[in-house]
Amino acid sequence: MPDLLMFRALWVYRGFVWSSVWREFNARYRESLLGAFWSVANPLTMIVIYTVIFGQLMRPTLPGHEGTPFAFSIYLCAGVITWALFAEMLGRLNGVFLDNGNLIKKSNFPRICLPAIVTLSALVNFGIILSIYLAFLAIIGHWPGWLLLALIPLVILQILFALGLGILLGTLNVFFRDVGQLTGVVLQFWFWLTPIVYTLSILPEGVQDAMRFNPMQPIIAAYQTIFLDRQMPDFKSLIPFSLLTAFLLILGGRFFLSRVGELVDEL
């Protein structure tokens, strides 16, 4: 019942959520000459740096794609874009209640609206970056076609995973401030422990087996399969990820609901 009331509250306050997302986006680029370009500048810079360093200097080979132009760039961008969405959501959700402490104290609204605003804002940024990436694929003649439809369940699943984990960490961070610092450190290690700037095949067999404990590995591999291989991803490999996502959503939602009344006192 509390879960249903939470979703009902989101629907009732949907206008507040959408207006907050628009206000945040507009405020971010209001005084900027280049506007929304800055929302993609950092990811593009990271992609260019990684492409030059790993693609040109180290010249990695992708098995089965030796003759594919820009193969490594396609592979790299698919992983970086996916990770950027996850990292933005988790990073912002981690401090969403602390960052909006004054708003929570002064206004009476469902607190679950704040994670919803973060999620929609991250999706807007993801949509901009993805559009540029798809334009790049169309220009080089590597358009994935109808396989783009497979992105829908992948994006939904990834968002739910980040949302469940983010709400749990964000709530914990209100009561234990070290959680926020630790999350930033873990995210940096987590990025390099995920096959994004390198391929899984170059790792020793023992390390490859250990990668199955990295929940982000199969979801990123699914994106890379769509964009690079232009094939339908193996959704069966995402079953453990889906189960973990459901667990985190339940755990994060229940913990948030059990502590939401204490947020104001701790902020």
Side-chain angles (χ1 to χ4, degrees):
M1 183 64 69
D3 297 338
L4 295 177
L5 291 176
M6 184 170 60
F7 287 113
R8 182 183 177 185
L10 274 177
W11 175 253
V12 172
Y13 281 80
R14 63 189 183 279
F16 167 72
V17 172
W18 284 111
S19 62
S20 297
V21 172
W22 170 248
R23 185 165 55 250
E24 178 181 315
F25 183 83
N26 189 45
R28 186 181 302 175
Y29 308 113
R30 182 180 302 156
E31 304 298 331
S32 172
L33 294 177
L34 297 181
F37 169 77
W38 295 114
S39 66
V40 299
N42 289 334
L44 282 177
T45 301
M46 184 168 57
I47 288 171
V48 170
I49 292 174
Y50 287 156
T51 300
V52 171
I53 294 177
F54 293 94
Q56 300 301 319
L57 299 182
M58 298 181 64
R59 298 187 179 279
T61 58
L62 296 176
H65 297 279
E66 290 78 3
T68 303
F70 301 102
F72 185 75
S73 295
I74 297 171
Y75 173 88
L76 175 66
C77 290
V80 170
I81 291 172
T82 305
W83 182 266
L85 173 60
F86 170 68
E88 179 181 357
M89 282 191 63
L90 194 61
R92 292 191 58 191
L93 287 171
N94 187 53
V96 67
F97 301 118
L98 291 178
D99 296 340
N100 293 278
N102 290 332
L103 180 62
I104 292 175
K105 292 177 181 178
K106 295 178 181 179
S107 304
N108 184 20
F109 65 95
R111 309 316 184 201
I112 195 62
C113 288
L114 295 175
I117 292 169
V118 168
T119 300
L120 290 175
S121 296
L123 269 177
V124 170
N125 293 332
F126 175 73
I128 295 173
I129 300 171
L130 181 63
S131 298
I132 295 175
Y133 180 50
L134 291 177
F136 165 70
L137 294 179
I139 291 172
I140 66 175
H142 204 80
W143 183 257
W146 65 272
L147 289 171
L148 287 176
L149 294 176
L151 291 179
I152 298 174
L154 292 182
V155 172
I156 292 175
L157 189 59
Q158 180 185 343
I159 287 174
L160 293 177
F161 173 73
L163 194 58
L165 182 58
I167 290 177
L168 176 62
L169 294 177
T171 307
L172 278 172
N173 196 28
V174 174
F175 302 94
F176 308 100
R177 304 300 169 89
D178 290 338
V179 171
Q181 304 298 327
L182 180 61
T183 300
V185 174
V186 170
L187 271 176
Q188 295 184 50
F189 281 99
W190 199 345
F191 174 82
W192 290 104
L193 292 174
T194 305
I196 296 175
V197 299
Y198 56 87
T199 62
L200 186 63
S201 60
I202 69 171
L203 300 176
E205 291 186 6
V207 179
Q208 291 185 34
D209 293 337
M211 277 294 178
R212 70 177 183 271
F213 296 106
N214 181 351
M216 286 300 293
Q217 187 275 324
I219 193 75
I220 287 182
Y223 282 95
Q224 292 165 338
T225 299
I226 293 174
F227 291 122
L228 180 61
D229 300 328
R230 289 190 286 190
Q231 296 178 4
M232 185 65 69
D234 180 15
F235 284 103
K236 290 183 179 179
S237 66
L238 294 173
I239 292 177
F241 182 80
S242 302
L243 295 176
L244 178 60
T245 297
F247 171 75
L248 287 174
L249 280 172
I250 295 173
L251 179 63
R254 294 296 172 84
F255 184 70
F256 167 77
L257 290 173
S258 68
R259 298 292 182 179
V260 66
E262 304 173 31
L263 290 181
V264 176
D265 296 332
E266 293 293 333
L267 290 172

